């Protein structure tokens, strides 16, 4: 069976060189697509290209890795996905919505369907663990009772419900990253984007975090992780994109 | 939902105010100082206005008569004054009445006057001008006419005083607004920079809010409320300080200045002026933080 992403690759090339695929086929392909990237280019400074003509597709419920050496464009790609930066050229569809057409003041709509996890956790150290997670729900105007329930639920998922009223600085790195993951999942996002989530952790903790992502993924959330940790990829990789100097060198579907 | 968000924004604002209390107190002090200076000059201007009103209320034309004025001349002056459209009432004051009046007003000088062999006070007519008499150019001509009448020695008309006091009032208002304006401008930039520092200090928090789907409005609101609170508190403090100054200033001056105390005393601002100061302070706080957010936060 031909994988859908391969078909999409074919579609993106055919658009330019060979034939236009039928509308039915596009609809069929897009029905399951969460992230579609077509011929994406990004240049920060001339003459170097951070990304050069990337096309890829990630389906709903995928557990994906983007890997490659430092400076290969992993973080740039992720930043474009959550519209922190704009590409120089190309198109991106997330959940069938062209994110480049979303006006700046409406970006929050896109970000509300994502949970973002960073290597440096980005927690608010002057706020308690509870408030760090609750902030996402307060933004949405969720009632107090519901906030308590959902924060507790997400903390229980990462096994930190007993540290709800502590400050992040009193937690270990692994625990801090788990709090960041709890924050990312508390509003039930469709996608989790993680940029080197295990970069600051030792191997044992890294595996623990990966197990956590896997559990989240099993509930139907699409998970996209950028990492250069080959051990993790070998262990967990299902769909892997190898990036090198802004280009996709290889795709592997295991 | 909006209610929840508003409560959260207010909580955040109060937390920020407490977290950066040092610099917030500094901006509060600057706003307070700016509005205090405006307030002091407004109060002085109010005082001058009050004196001007008092004078206007008793705008008097005093015609001093010759000692040996004939009955005929006295009557013609009286008739001329009484029939004038600019005069409200006329009173004849004899030399004796003038002396008694003086003795009553300045008891400490009684002995000097009483020791004189003659009564130094001439008889006079005191005419109260009508309220709007000042606006008539004819009033001046009328005063000159009286001056030229036989039996009239001199005519005193306190219009000049009134004009001078009104000019002082305008001047103090202008100086107040000029100095206050400069300080208000300074406080605008100080608030703007302090909010900028607060934004910088909370950059990571703002970043997290943005990435978790907060709207620009949601991010801005606590900072705007912060600016408004600083402006509001600053202007209210300036009004309280002004009230204290007004209470203490006469005590400081003491009674030594006599009638001058009335001239340089302060009158508290009217309700509309107080409201203008408070609204002005809040607006400066709001616009200061808004401009810093627009330029610096770029959201």
């Amino acid at each position: 069976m031909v994988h859908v992403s391969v078909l999409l690759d074919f579609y993106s090339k055919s658009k330019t060189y060979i034939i236009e695929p039928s509308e039915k086929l596009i609809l069929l392909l897009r029905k399951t697509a969460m992230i579609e990237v077509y011929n994406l280019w990004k240049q920060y400074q001339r003459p170097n290209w951070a990304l050069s003509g990337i096309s890829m597709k990630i389906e709903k419920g995928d557990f994906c890795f983007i890997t490659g050496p430092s400076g290969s464009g992993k973080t740039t790609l992720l930043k474009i996905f959550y519209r922190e930066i704009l590409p120089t050229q190309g198109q991106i569809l997330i959940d069938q919505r062209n994110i480049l057409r979303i006006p700046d003041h409406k970006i929050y709509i896109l970000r509300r369907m994502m949970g973002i996890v960073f290597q440096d956790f980005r927690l608010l150290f002057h706020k308690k663990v509870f408030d760090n997670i609750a902030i996402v729900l307060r933004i949405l105007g969720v009632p107090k009772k519901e906030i308590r329930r959902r924060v507790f639920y997400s903390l229980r998922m990462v096994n930190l419900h007993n540290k709800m009223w502590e400050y992040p600085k009193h937690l270990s790195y692994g625990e801090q990253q788990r709090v960041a993951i709890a924050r990312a999942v508390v509003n039930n996002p469709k996608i989790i984007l993680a940029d080197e989530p295990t970069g600051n952790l030792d191997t044992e903790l890294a595996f623990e975090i990966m197990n956590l992502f896997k559990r989240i993924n099993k509930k139907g959330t699409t998970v996209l992780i950028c990492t250069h940790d080959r051990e993790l990829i070998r262990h967990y990789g299902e769909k892997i994109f190898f990036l090198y100097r802004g280009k996709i060198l290889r795709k592997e579907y295991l | 939902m909006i209610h929840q968000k508003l409560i959260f924004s207010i909580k955040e604002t109060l937390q920020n105010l407490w977290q950066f209390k040092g610099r917030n107190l500094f901006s509060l002090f600057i706003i307070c100082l700016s509005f205090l200076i405006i307030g002091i000059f407004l109060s002085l201007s109010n005082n001058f206005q009050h004196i001007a009103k008092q004078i206007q209320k008793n705008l008097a034309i005093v015609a001093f008569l010759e000692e040996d004025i004939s009955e005929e001349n006295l009557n013609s002056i009286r008739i001329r004054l009484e029939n004038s459209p600019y005069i409200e009432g006329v009173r004849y004051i004899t030399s004796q009445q003038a002396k008694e009046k003086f003795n009553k007003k300045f008891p400490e000088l009684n002995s000097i006057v009483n020791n004189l062999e003659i009564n130094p006070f001439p008889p006079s007519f005191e005419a109260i001008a009508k309220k709007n008499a000042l606006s008539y150019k004819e009033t001046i001509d009328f005063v000159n006419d009286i001056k030229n009448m036989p039996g009239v020695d001199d005519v005193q008309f306190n219009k000049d005083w009134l004009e001078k006091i009104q000019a002082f009032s305008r001047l103090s208002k202008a100086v107040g607004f000029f100095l206050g304006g400069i300080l208000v401008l300074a406080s605008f930039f100080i608030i703007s920079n302090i909010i900028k520092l607060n934004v910088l200090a909370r950059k990571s928090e703002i970043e997290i809010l943005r990435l978790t789907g907060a709207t620009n409005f949601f991010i801005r609101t606590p900072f705007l409320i912060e600016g408004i609170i600083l402006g509001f508190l600053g202007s209210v403090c300036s009004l309280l300080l002004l009230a204290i100054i007004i209470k203490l200033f006469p005590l400081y001056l003491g009674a030594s200045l006599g009638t001058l105390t009335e001239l340089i005393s302060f009158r508290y601002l009217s309700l509309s002026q107080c409201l203008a100061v408070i609204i002005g302070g809040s607006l400066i706080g709001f616009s200061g933080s808004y401009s810093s957010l627009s330029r610096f936060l770029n959201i």
Side-chain angles (χ1 to χ4, degrees):
Chain A
M1 199 187 107
V2 183
H3 200 279
V4 194
S5 302
V6 179
L7 271 175
L8 197 95
D9 249 18
F10 169 74
Y11 157 67
S12 63
K13 282 173 190 161
S14 67
K15 203 178 169 190
T16 344
Y17 305 112
I18 315 170
I19 47 161
E20 284 293 321
S22 74
E23 219 166 286
K24 235 180 180 177
L25 177 62
I26 296 172
L27 282 174
L28 183 76
L29 291 174
R30 285 188 181 166
K31 210 173 168 185
T32 54
M34 179 52 84
I35 301 175
E36 297 163 86
V37 181
Y38 300 110
N39 195 26
L40 196 72
W41 295 74
K42 175 69 189 175
Q43 189 174 45
Y44 288 109
Q45 227 176 3
R46 285 184 179 192
N48 304 325
W49 288 92
L51 298 175
S52 343
I54 284 184
S55 292
M56 62 196 286
K57 188 190 169 202
I58 294 162
E59 287 160 56
K60 281 179 184 166
D62 268 357
F63 191 77
C64 264
F65 282 98
I66 298 176
T67 187
S70 294
S72 58
K74 301 187 296 284
T75 303
T76 300
L77 191 60
L78 226 58
K79 277 185 175 174
I80 292 174
F81 287 165
Y82 58 81
R83 264 290 300 270
E84 181 70 5
I85 53 172
L86 285 166
T88 313
Q89 198 187 311
Q91 294 300 325
I92 307 153
L93 273 72
I94 293 184
D95 202 20
Q96 299 175 39
R97 192 178 296 172
N98 187 341
I99 64 159
L100 304 180
R101 288 206 183 147
I102 302 174
D104 283 353
H105 66 280
K106 290 270 168 80
I107 289 300
Y108 68 91
I109 298 171
L110 172 75
R111 287 176 182 165
R112 282 179 187 180
M113 58 186 256
M114 295 174 169
I116 307 169
V117 181
F118 298 95
Q119 181 178 1
D120 55 356
F121 323 136
R122 300 214 187 162
L123 297 175
L124 302 169
F125 286 92
H126 63 281
K127 285 184 193 282
K128 289 178 179 163
V129 168
F130 174 86
D131 292 312
N132 264 282
I133 299 167
I135 202 164
V136 180
L137 302 171
R138 283 177 182 144
I139 286 167
L140 303 171
V142 175
K144 234 178 180 176
K145 246 184 177 174
E146 181 67 9
I147 289 177
R148 272 177 177 263
R149 197 185 65 78
R150 279 163 71 172
V151 170
F152 180 77
Y153 178 77
S154 63
L155 275 173
R156 203 174 60 181
M157 195 180 72
V158 298
N159 206 17
L160 278 178
H161 52 287
N162 53 341
K163 307 232 165 153
M164 192 150 75
W165 302 111
E166 287 192 25
Y167 285 96
K169 62 185 170 195
H170 298 140
L171 305 179
S172 68
Y173 280 159
E175 286 172 331
Q176 286 182 15
Q177 189 60 297
R178 271 148 63 195
V179 172
I181 293 169
R183 184 182 63 194
V185 297
V186 74
N187 62 336
N188 300 321
K190 290 182 177 175
I191 322 163
I192 296 276
L193 302 175
D195 188 7
E196 300 280 4
T198 56
N200 281 345
L201 309 175
D202 59 39
T203 318
E204 203 178 320
L205 278 176
F207 273 91
E208 194 183 308
I209 295 296
M210 278 302 149
N211 284 335
L212 199 56
F213 279 127
K214 202 74 192 164
R215 264 173 36 216
I216 295 164
N217 174 248
K218 274 187 182 154
K219 286 177 183 168
T221 310
T222 309
V223 177
L224 175 61
I225 300 166
C226 286
T227 182
H228 58 260
D229 191 330
R230 287 166 185 231
E231 188 67 24
L232 288 179
I233 294 168
R234 204 166 47 233
H235 205 270
Y236 293 94
E238 287 176 9
K239 188 184 246 184
I240 310 151
F241 297 92
F242 292 92
L243 241 66
Y244 184 71
R245 290 190 177 173
K247 283 182 186 154
I248 291 184
L249 209 65
R250 200 166 82 234
K251 295 172 192 176
E252 276 181 20
Y253 308 116
L254 304 169
Chain B
M1 197 163 141
I2 291 169
H3 168 75
Q4 289 278 341
K5 286 185 184 178
L6 192 71
I7 288 176
F8 176 69
S9 293
I10 291 170
K11 267 187 184 170
E12 284 290 298
T13 309
L14 296 177
Q15 266 178 18
N16 290 346
L17 283 172
W18 184 247
Q19 196 182 348
F20 306 116
K21 45 189 173 291
R23 65 174 84 123
N24 286 333
L25 268 174
F26 175 69
S27 65
L28 200 77
F29 171 74
I30 296 290
I31 301 164
C32 178
L33 190 74
S34 318
F35 281 96
L36 182 66
I37 287 179
I38 293 182
I40 287 173
F41 280 94
L42 262 179
S43 156
L44 264 178
S45 163
N46 280 358
N47 191 50
F48 283 127
Q49 287 282 4
H50 174 78
I51 294 168
K53 259 186 199 156
Q54 289 296 318
I55 292 174
Q56 204 164 6
K57 222 187 263 176
N58 305 305
L59 196 62
I61 299 168
V62 184
F64 294 105
L65 309 172
E66 289 166 358
E67 290 288 338
D68 49 351
I69 187 168
S70 66
E71 196 67 29
E72 195 185 333
N73 284 345
L74 192 75
N75 279 335
S76 66
I77 294 166
R78 187 199 296 273
I79 288 163
R80 179 82 176 89
L81 283 169
E82 279 176 350
N83 291 341
S84 162
Y86 317 116
I87 301 298
E88 213 163 58
V90 183
R91 201 154 58 110
Y92 177 68
I93 298 190
T94 60
S95 302
Q96 191 54 35
Q97 281 171 330
K99 190 178 170 183
E100 280 166 13
K101 208 174 166 185
F102 179 83
N103 283 342
K104 212 172 172 184
K105 243 185 179 170
F106 306 100
E108 65 273 23
L109 302 173
N110 277 359
S111 53
I112 302 170
V113 177
N114 293 337
N115 286 341
L116 291 172
E117 280 176 13
I118 51 156
N119 183 355
F121 302 101
S124 60
F125 273 116
E126 268 185 21
I128 303 298
K130 277 185 179 166
K131 224 179 183 179
N132 49 2
L134 254 185
S135 53
Y136 296 117
K137 188 190 165 290
E138 289 85 353
T139 319
I140 309 297
D141 299 334
F142 171 72
V143 170
N144 288 334
D145 270 4
I146 300 284
K147 217 179 213 172
N148 296 329
M149 282 181 86
V152 176
D153 197 23
D154 192 20
V155 177
Q156 265 187 7
F157 181 39
N158 49 8
K159 182 178 175 288
D160 291 350
W161 267 101
L162 183 66
E163 278 175 353
K164 269 175 199 159
I165 284 169
Q166 277 178 338
F168 269 126
S169 164
R170 280 195 296 271
L171 184 73
S172 68
K173 217 180 230 174
V175 171
F177 276 112
F178 177 72
L179 287 179
I182 291 171
L183 279 166
V184 161
L185 206 68
S187 58
F188 170 84
F189 285 114
I190 284 166
I191 288 187
S192 172
N193 281 310
I194 279 167
I195 297 284
K196 216 180 271 181
L197 284 177
N198 290 356
V199 169
L200 246 181
R202 294 181 59 210
K203 208 159 189 239
S204 59
E205 193 173 341
I206 290 166
E207 189 72 18
I208 291 163
L209 285 172
R210 287 176 67 205
L211 294 177
T212 46
T215 57
N216 289 348
F217 181 76
F218 187 87
I219 297 171
R220 268 192 186 132
T221 310
F223 292 106
L224 293 178
I225 297 177
E226 202 175 315
I228 292 171
I229 288 178
L230 285 177
F232 176 82
L233 286 180
S235 51
V236 168
C237 283
S238 76
L239 290 177
L240 288 175
L241 262 177
L242 186 67
I244 293 168
I245 288 173
I246 287 169
K247 263 261 187 290
L248 293 181
F249 195 62
L251 294 177
Y252 173 71
L253 278 182
S256 56
L257 285 167
T259 45
L260 269 180
T261 321
E262 173 73 6
L263 247 169
I264 53 169
S265 72
F266 292 105
R267 255 175 193 83
Y268 201 65
L269 310 185
S270 65
L271 185 68
S272 57
Q273 283 171 331
C274 287
L275 279 177
V277 166
I278 291 171
I279 292 169
S282 310
L283 271 177
I284 279 168
F286 173 81
S287 51
S289 52
Y290 189 86
S291 79
S292 106
L293 287 172
S294 310
R295 276 183 294 143
F296 185 72
L297 203 58
N298 198 21
I299 53 169

